[in-house]
Amino acid sequence: MNMLFRHALIPGLGRKDVRVEGKKITDIAEPLSLTAKKGERTVDCDHRLMVPGLYNLHTHAAMNLFRGYGEDLPLDRWLNEKILPAEDKLTGSAVYTGTSVAFAEMLRTGTVSCSDMYFFSEDVVRAALDTGIKMNIGRSLVSFDENADFSKDARFLESRRVYEKYNGAGEGQVLVEMCLHAEYSNVEAGVREVAAMAKEYGAPIMLHLSETEKEQNEGIARRGMTPLAFFEKCGVLDSRVSAAHCVWVSDEDIALMAEKGVTAVHNPCSNLKLGSGVMPYGKLRAAGVNVALGTDGSASNNTLDMFKEMYTASILHKGFTRRPTDYTASEFLKMATENGAKAQGREDCGKIAVGYDADIVLLDTDAENVMPVYDPYAAAVYAAKGENVKMTVVAGRVLYENGEYTTIDIEKLKADMRNECENICQKIC
């Protein structure tokens, strides 16, 4: 459906009319200067703030199946004592349902695209295609045997199969990346195999990097170099890389990230909750590293609300450095939109601009926690919450509006989720 948004307040642009035709934004003009066309839906935006759709650059969507499980533990204990044993009990059905509910939560809170790292990849892709959300997916790969034949490893074969079958699916809605879980969960031969696969397909790579001080220090002790330097040695950085966390990267790591064009994905809520620390965002920014924003999974966050993530990131670095003027609301909105789209390889996304995909979120500026709006950037980053989202548009399709989904039977999905969680609880509780 073609749409004409009337009198929308847009950060950096002021009040504008915005026309959407098909998947694209085709006109941005002064209010009431565009004439409505036949068959075009007109959307009154008098009490609406229009922002680009948000990009969640690091998550494990199906981990909402473990929301509230294994709480108040540091990362290594949380992962090894709770999450990994529980994940061994999962089925494709559970992952499809959990992922679908996660995508519903994302759409309801203004996220239009995510980068998801998990397994049961075909079920994850099916959830994205069914709900309509954009997604970059990577099959999380681990390896523990230097002598393994990776041409016969089911996980590596799944990664290849998913790339060949689904990269570009849904007219570009789904993009597939190679995915390394982390330095500590892979042998060198496995890392080199992933780097070779990425080069073969021309695919990007997503991975976890230097999330904890222990991970960084043990990586240096094990390899004689930082995890990032190890990845560079193995050829990983020859591809476009998005690295989640980057809390304990060294100054040398940061310089290498800038040189190789690595995106650092900031996950402030998860990193704070697990006691992992704070990303050196100021240093990364000064070096020219592209920094995007992600929630991580909702087992460690515990929500997928990117407005909460923007707010946390923005106040965290002001407080950590005690220099509030160094960090502005506009840069954190860009981190959650344009920077994320760039990292996903979606160059015509992430902005309210002519020729860009119509990935649009409307926020209620008449809500008690948002009004009045003196500064649209401040309203979006410091005041708004996911609950203030009134409409989410993905590539010109309205997927969520005023509490209703257009592609999701939310009550049936919730019932399926309850059943899956009851089955899991019987196995792990």
Side-chain angles (χ1 to χ4, degrees), residues 229-266:
F230 171 66
F231 287 142
E232 198 276 335
K233 170 190 170 185
C234 294
V236 171
L237 304 193
D238 293 339
S239 298
R240 188 177 79 240
V241 171
S242 294
H245 305 300
C246 302
V247 175
W248 290 94
V249 286
S250 67
D251 291 348
E252 293 76 16
D253 288 337
I254 291 171
L256 183 58
M257 293 173 75
E259 176 189 344
K260 294 292 188 176
V262 175
T263 291
V265 184
H266 194 8

Side-chain angles (χ1 to χ4, degrees), residues 99-268:
T99 301
S100 298
V101 171
F103 289 165
E105 181 184 352
M106 290 185 200
L107 292 170
R108 181 174 55 80
T109 54
T111 291
V112 299
S113 187
C114 68
S115 291
D116 193 71
M117 178 191 293
Y118 217 55
F119 37 93
F120 290 103
S121 300
E122 296 199 51
D123 295 290
V124 175
V125 171
R126 185 161 58 93
L129 293 173
D130 287 349
T131 59
I133 198 169
K134 293 179 180 179
M135 177 184 67
N136 283 34
I137 182 175
R139 201 293 180 197
S140 184
L141 294 176
V142 297
S143 56
F144 301 102
D145 182 359
E146 285 283 4
N147 299 311
D149 183 352
F150 295 109
S151 68
K152 298 179 180 178
D153 186 297
R155 293 164 295 194
F156 285 74
L157 288 171
E158 180 184 344
S159 189
R160 286 183 175 276
R161 182 175 69 253
V162 169
Y163 187 91
E164 292 171 359
K165 186 175 181 179
Y166 292 110
N167 187 48
E171 298 181 351
Q173 178 190 339
V174 174
L175 300 177
V176 181
E177 303 189 18
M178 297 298 118
C179 175
L180 278 164
H181 178 263
E183 175 274 332
Y184 60 83
S185 53
N186 278 281
V187 295
E188 182 169 337
V191 174
R192 289 187 178 278
E193 178 70 14
V194 173
M197 288 166 60
K199 185 175 182 179
E200 176 186 346
Y201 290 116
I205 300 174
M206 62 175 76
L207 50 83
H208 293 106
L209 180 68
S210 301
E211 184 172 359
T212 66
E213 186 176 25
K214 178 181 178 183
E215 175 187 341
Q216 182 81 344
N217 290 341
E218 289 186 353
I220 293 170
R222 181 166 42 246
R223 316 278 188 186
M225 62 189 74
T226 67
L228 184 70
F230 171 66
F231 287 142
E232 198 276 335
K233 170 190 170 185
C234 294
V236 171
L237 304 193
D238 293 339
S239 298
R240 188 177 79 240
V241 171
S242 294
H245 305 300
C246 302
V247 175
W248 290 94
V249 286
S250 67
D251 291 348
E252 293 76 16
D253 288 337
I254 291 171
L256 183 58
M257 293 173 75
E259 176 189 344
K260 294 292 188 176
V262 175
T263 291
V265 184
H266 194 8
N267 303 269

Side-chain angles (χ1 to χ4, degrees), residues 172-388:
Q173 178 190 339
V174 174
L175 300 177
V176 181
E177 303 189 18
M178 297 298 118
C179 175
L180 278 164
H181 178 263
E183 175 274 332
Y184 60 83
S185 53
N186 278 281
V187 295
E188 182 169 337
V191 174
R192 289 187 178 278
E193 178 70 14
V194 173
M197 288 166 60
K199 185 175 182 179
E200 176 186 346
Y201 290 116
I205 300 174
M206 62 175 76
L207 50 83
H208 293 106
L209 180 68
S210 301
E211 184 172 359
T212 66
E213 186 176 25
K214 178 181 178 183
E215 175 187 341
Q216 182 81 344
N217 290 341
E218 289 186 353
I220 293 170
R222 181 166 42 246
R223 316 278 188 186
M225 62 189 74
T226 67
L228 184 70
F230 171 66
F231 287 142
E232 198 276 335
K233 170 190 170 185
C234 294
V236 171
L237 304 193
D238 293 339
S239 298
R240 188 177 79 240
V241 171
S242 294
H245 305 300
C246 302
V247 175
W248 290 94
V249 286
S250 67
D251 291 348
E252 293 76 16
D253 288 337
I254 291 171
L256 183 58
M257 293 173 75
E259 176 189 344
K260 294 292 188 176
V262 175
T263 291
V265 184
H266 194 8
N267 303 269
C269 291
S270 177
N271 292 153
L272 289 170
K273 183 167 178 280
L274 291 169
S276 300
V278 177
M279 169 193 271
Y281 169 60
K283 288 185 176 182
L284 288 157
R285 181 182 64 174
V289 174
N290 184 51
V291 181
L293 197 64
T295 59
D296 209 346
S298 49
S300 65
N301 186 303
N302 290 40
T303 78
L304 301 172
D305 184 348
M306 283 285 287
F307 284 96
K308 184 185 79 170
E309 214 69 33
M310 274 196 295
Y311 174 76
T312 302
S314 66
I315 65 169
L316 174 63
H317 296 287
K318 290 174 181 286
F320 189 72
T321 63
R322 295 180 290 173
R323 295 195 303 272
T325 58
D326 286 3
Y327 303 94
T328 63
S330 61
E331 71 181 280
F332 289 99
L333 182 60
K334 184 180 178 183
M335 186 188 294
T337 54
E338 187 178 350
N339 291 7
K342 176 183 176 182
Q344 285 194 339
R346 301 180 188 271
E347 299 295 337
D348 57 351
C349 301
K351 293 170 64 176
I352 304 297
V354 172
Y356 276 60
D357 271 16
D359 297 336
I360 292 170
V361 169
L362 296 183
L363 294 164
D364 182 7
T365 57
D366 216 25
E368 296 87 343
N369 64 295
V370 178
M371 66 188 309
V373 178
Y374 297 114
D375 180 339
Y377 285 111
V381 175
Y382 301 142
K385 302 177 182 178
E387 67 192 46
N388 300 128

